[in-house]
Amino acid sequence: MWFNPDLVIIELESESREDVLLNLGNQLVKGGYVKGDFIESVLARESNFPTGLPTKPFGIAIPHTDADKVIDPQLAFASLKTPVTFNTMGSANEEIEVKLVFMLALNNPEEQLKSLQRLTEIFQDEEMVLKLSQAKNAEEVNELMESSEKARF
Amino acid sequence: MKKLLIMCGTGIATSTVVTGKVREWLREQGLENEVTLYQSKISEELNRIDDYDVVVSTTLVPDNIKGKVIDGVPLLTGIGTDEMYNHILGKLNQ
């Protein structure tokens, strides 16, 4: 399973990037998956090292931070009711409208490499990105993610 | 032996993905024995960036090293990948 149901937020209504990060981060803190200062750290990193990806048909963001803030590695997911603005990874002052957010709480990239690689393949699949934005609950999100896995192996 | 550095903001998420893809690409190009891959976070590399022949970054870099750094984000979005690989190849052949 890709996402614990308590780490999936569907059609989140929020007005800002910070608000989205707070909502997802709180779920991770509540579940005991990350330390209390994870959220603060993610917010700071997002300002210094933005994580918006100019994918199609709309942008995706992958906020994350240092490994030492993570207790039990997890991925958290949010689809946004209305897009919010993120800065683009790797280029200054470029903004994109993001509709899907994958918050990465990772502490061992080698072990988690396969999941990360699959994630990036999903980002490159326009149809999948669209379907994920339309998913109605955590179960549907997980089914979609797994269906793409099956197609590939 | 050429040195190729891949870096991101944390050294943990995107640079891991990009390193995996570049390693595969080097193998396809028959270059795996000619290039050593390094993966790191930007804060640890700023002072020794000139030690590397090629630098790929998925994160923002300061203006003073911009000319040296290739944008690795295409490997995450799938947009502009060929151009990025050509850029790397060009630097490796310099």
Side-chain angles (χ1 to χ4, degrees):
Chain A
M1 190 173 64
W2 277 83
F3 305 103
N4 279 333
D6 58 330
L7 297 178
V8 173
I9 307 177
I10 300 292
E11 300 223 328
L12 177 63
E13 287 185 55
S14 55
E15 290 180 352
S16 70
R17 180 182 87 189
E18 285 73 21
D19 194 35
V20 175
L21 299 182
L22 274 175
N23 270 287
L24 275 174
N26 273 330
Q27 293 305 108
L28 284 162
V29 172
K30 249 195 263 170
Y33 305 119
V34 298
K35 295 179 187 166
D37 56 354
F38 176 85
I39 298 177
E40 196 183 316
S41 180
V42 167
L43 284 168
R45 283 217 96 87
E46 193 63 38
S47 307
N48 295 328
F49 305 112
T51 66
L53 295 171
T55 44
K56 287 175 182 170
F58 37 71
I60 290 175
I62 52 167
H64 56 277
T65 189
D66 297 315
D68 62 359
K69 306 283 187 285
V70 176
I71 299 163
D72 175 14
Q74 295 289 337
L75 302 174
F77 172 93
S79 59
L80 310 184
K81 190 154 195 178
T82 48
V84 304
T85 305
F86 275 73
N87 285 92
T88 313
M89 191 182 281
S91 44
N93 311 320
E94 229 172 89
E95 293 184 333
I96 50 162
E97 296 296 300
V98 163
K99 239 188 140 176
L100 294 180
V101 180
F102 294 75
M103 188 173 271
L104 318 176
L106 305 175
N107 59 7
N108 188 338
E110 291 308 320
E111 268 176 34
Q112 290 138 20
L113 176 62
K114 269 215 168 126
S115 311
L116 283 170
Q117 283 176 333
R118 283 183 200 158
L119 259 190
T120 53
E121 276 163 38
I122 284 165
F123 297 164
Q124 297 174 19
D125 181 342
E126 276 183 51
E127 202 189 326
M128 182 61 74
V129 171
L130 185 65
K131 279 186 184 162
L132 282 169
S133 76
Q134 294 163 341
K136 293 283 169 249
N137 51 50
E139 206 184 343
E140 252 183 64
V141 173
N142 276 319
E143 273 172 18
L144 280 168
M145 299 290 287
E146 270 147 41
S147 73
S148 113
E149 226 168 286
K150 269 180 219 148
R152 213 167 13 254
F153 289 101
Chain B
M1 198 76 159
K2 298 272 185 176
K3 292 180 174 175
L4 196 164
L5 170 69
I6 291 158
M7 62 182 186
C8 65
T10 57
I12 194 157
T14 54
S15 61
T16 305
V17 174
V18 171
T19 302
K21 292 200 174 180
V22 171
R23 180 172 291 130
E24 212 173 282
W25 173 79
L26 285 171
R27 214 174 286 141
E28 284 165 14
Q29 302 287 317
L31 291 170
E32 74 265 40
N33 295 324
E34 286 168 47
V35 181
T36 310
L37 278 181
Y38 299 84
Q39 183 191 345
S40 185
K41 59 164 113 176
I42 183 168
S43 55
E44 287 173 4
E45 301 298 331
L46 282 176
N47 294 328
R48 53 178 186 215
I49 208 86
D50 289 326
D51 294 355
Y52 301 98
D53 299 290
V54 187
V55 181
V56 177
S57 174
T58 57
T59 197
L60 284 175
V61 300
D63 285 344
N64 63 321
I65 62 165
K66 258 195 183 131
K68 167 122 193 172
V69 176
I70 299 172
D71 179 10
V73 174
L75 286 179
L76 304 174
T77 61
I79 302 163
T81 315
D82 290 345
E83 200 184 339
M84 192 214 70
Y85 278 134
N86 283 338
H87 202 163
I88 294 180
L89 213 50
K91 292 236 179 194
L92 284 174
N93 290 329
Q94 260 173 28

